[in-house]
Amino acid sequence: MTERYVYCNGRANEAATTVGNSKQLSTANTMKPQSVTNRHMNWLIHDLYTRKHFEQCKKLIDRQLAICYDKQYLYYMKGLILREENSPTEAVHCFQQAIALNKKEPENYKELAKTLYSMGKFRNALEVFLKAETLLERPDHEIYHHIGELYYKNFGQLKAGVGEAKEYLKQAISCGKHVESYKILAEIYIEEGDSIKAIEMIENCLQITQDDVSLMTQIGILYLKINEYQRAFEKLLDATATDSKYTNALLALGSILQSKNDIDGALNKYKRIPNLSDESSEVWSNIGLCFFKKQKFIAAISCLKKAVWVSPLNFNALYNLGLVFVTAQQYVSAFQTLAAAISLRPEHAECYMLLGTCLRHLNDPGNAYLSLEKSTMLPDAVKNPLIYLNFALYCYEIGKSDQSVLYLSNFLEMTQHITVHREYIKMADRLNGALAVAASGQIYPATVPESGHTGGLDRTEKDANRMQDENAVNMTGNATVAAVRREDSVEDDGTDGDLP
């Protein structure tokens, strides 16, 4: 009887082997080199692996391991199968066996490192990836990518960090366009505040995966940060066209419309968010600001309370709720809410300004003065001229004309560099006129009233009170959603809505 084997790799047809009896078979097996059998089985092992016939593949590998001296490839393939079957410990053992048989093959080290990475042993994985890099004869994207990612996650040596991570990731993308490498580079550039570079990386991602809604949304928000509103709007519209219920894109679009005073359009976007009742604090805070803009204070307070309930440590929600309480003249509630906001951000100047307004109306002029004064001393005060105008008005009200003149001049100087509403300029002019009259001796500003004082005020004092109240209310009433907030990297003034 004769058997003939024909192999798919086309290298050779095995010579016929005559099988007569068991003695002849034994003689033939003894004379034939067994390594040949293994080499010609590699194609079958690989074919079974790619077709995910893992059980058959493992049986063939185990049989070959028992009869063949060239075992590196067999251990390598068995390691791949065990990793696929979620047996990483056994896979590590197989890759170590393969390395012991051939210490100059980078693929063995790479697959061992990938297995260690999947087990969460990041430092060990990095060491093996670095070893694999030293053995490379040609560039390897996976090795460069993983080294860059691990350096970015701070698993490298003390001297290695973000700079080294960027270099390895750039090497990875130089080997070809790979989405994950671009994404990590974009994250690094975002953290560094380089929105232009981050946009470039995400644009490269979108050339590869054109329907990635999260990337469209992310690049839309980045365009907002560099004031490219039209491009931001287009990207976000593309995201909602791909997925009409993608929450982050709808929230970002709503925020843009809100900043443009299209309140109904913004509310329409927010209403399309699925499972709105269970949504995040940022969504409810933005919806509350929409109702606030429409002068629907009860609805605004309800939404902002929902935002605070969802996330009690959300500073923006607390600040906006305090803002609405002040405007609605609910000063006790405003005081409690703003005090909670200040406990989260003790250096927020506008919180102290609003807190001073509350204390003034709660007949606590001493603490009102201290709070308004502190608001002018904080670093954030230079961003908002109205803080100085409010304190100048209050100083005039309580009879401290010299201080009022000083802070009014600070306000007027800031308006040379920061644009403010014309109504505030008119208030400053009226205050300036009142101070000039008081300085000429015709009318003297009132002294500080005692706590609980309910006596009448002369006309000049009433004008000062009216101007201060009007200023505080107008400032809150003009709150918009112009700024974009990203976690821990871009500070906003609290009057703005939130973006994902």
Side-chain angles (χ1 to χ4, degrees), residues 369-387:
Y369 175 83
L370 292 174
S371 183
L372 289 167
E373 183 182 40
K374 186 173 178 64
S375 71
T376 64
M377 298 167 63
L378 295 171
D380 281 355
V382 298
K383 300 177 183 178
N384 191 348
L386 300 182
I387 291 173

Side-chain angles (χ1 to χ4, degrees), residues 11-307:
R11 290 185 178 181
N13 291 334
E14 290 295 325
T17 302
T18 303
V19 180
N21 50 44
S22 59
K23 183 177 180 179
Q24 290 175 329
L25 179 60
S26 175
T27 303
N29 288 340
T30 302
M31 294 176 63
K32 186 174 180 178
Q34 295 181 1
S35 60
V36 174
T37 304
N38 178 63
R39 286 200 296 269
H40 287 297
M41 286 295 104
N42 287 352
W43 72 268
L44 182 55
I45 291 170
H46 179 74
D47 183 62
L48 291 171
Y49 172 77
T50 55
R51 289 189 289 165
K52 297 188 180 297
H53 295 170
F54 294 149
E55 287 302 322
Q56 297 177 43
C57 192
K58 283 195 295 183
K59 288 178 181 179
L60 180 56
I61 289 172
D62 289 338
R63 190 182 74 182
Q64 292 298 104
L65 283 170
I67 64 175
C68 178
Y69 71 88
D70 185 12
K71 300 180 179 180
Q72 175 204 334
Y73 180 75
L74 298 174
Y75 279 119
Y76 173 82
M77 292 302 298
K78 189 172 184 181
L80 293 179
I81 294 170
L82 290 169
R83 191 173 66 197
E84 290 275 353
E85 293 181 337
N86 200 25
S87 299
T89 304
E90 292 84 350
V92 165
H93 176 71
C94 287
F95 290 128
Q96 288 172 337
Q97 293 278 53
I99 289 171
L101 293 166
N102 187 351
K103 295 182 179 179
K104 295 184 178 180
E105 175 55 60
E107 285 295 317
N108 294 333
Y109 289 95
K110 182 175 80 171
E111 296 303 332
L112 172 61
K114 287 167 66 176
T115 308
L116 292 169
Y117 182 93
S118 69
M119 297 169 69
K121 297 181 178 181
F122 299 121
R123 293 190 184 280
N124 294 335
L126 178 58
E127 292 175 6
V128 181
F129 275 124
L130 290 170
K131 175 64 177 176
E133 184 195 10
T134 63
L135 300 173
L136 287 177
E137 295 180 356
R138 60 181 182 274
D140 188 298
H141 159 259
E142 286 188 288
I143 291 175
Y144 295 144
H145 170 82
H146 280 97
I147 293 175
E149 182 181 5
L150 289 166
Y151 275 144
Y152 171 61
K153 292 179 178 179
N154 200 27
F155 287 107
Q157 301 91 344
L158 292 176
K159 64 179 181 180
V162 176
E164 287 75 8
K166 286 167 64 176
E167 291 305 315
Y168 274 104
L169 290 166
K170 287 177 181 178
Q171 280 185 275
I173 61 177
S174 69
C175 300
K177 295 182 177 181
H178 300 279
V179 172
E180 293 304 318
S181 299
Y182 282 122
K183 283 183 178 179
I184 297 176
L185 271 174
E187 289 178 20
I188 292 173
Y189 286 125
I190 289 171
E191 290 180 1
E192 293 178 343
D194 192 344
S195 297
I196 303 295
K197 282 286 187 181
I199 288 171
E200 181 184 342
M201 295 299 105
I202 298 175
E203 288 283 14
N204 288 327
C205 285
L206 289 173
Q207 290 178 6
I208 305 169
T209 56
Q210 299 178 356
D211 296 330
D212 192 319
V213 181
S214 62
L215 288 176
M216 293 178 193
T217 304
Q218 188 179 26
I219 198 172
I221 294 171
L222 288 171
Y223 275 126
L224 278 179
K225 290 182 180 179
I226 60 173
N227 299 321
E228 293 278 354
Y229 295 106
Q230 185 59 38
R231 287 189 178 182
F233 200 74
E234 290 171 0
K235 292 294 183 182
L236 293 169
L237 282 178
D238 289 342
T240 55
T242 304
D243 184 352
S244 61
K245 295 185 177 180
Y246 189 68
T247 298
N248 288 346
L250 291 170
L251 176 57
L253 275 174
S255 298
I256 295 174
L257 294 170
Q258 203 169 340
S259 69
K260 301 298 183 184
N261 287 327
D262 185 358
I263 305 303
D264 292 329
L267 284 172
N268 182 53
K269 297 297 181 186
Y270 297 141
K271 288 176 183 177
R272 288 168 54 189
I273 294 175
N275 300 319
L276 182 59
S277 59
D278 300 324
E279 257 310 326
S280 65
S281 179
E282 287 79 9
V283 175
W284 286 105
S285 181
N286 278 14
I287 294 173
L289 285 178
C290 284
F291 285 121
F292 175 54
K293 194 75 174 179
K294 292 168 74 73
Q295 302 293 307
K296 296 182 178 180
F297 297 136
I298 295 176
I301 289 170
S302 297
C303 292
L304 289 165
K305 281 186 174 181
K306 170 77 172 180

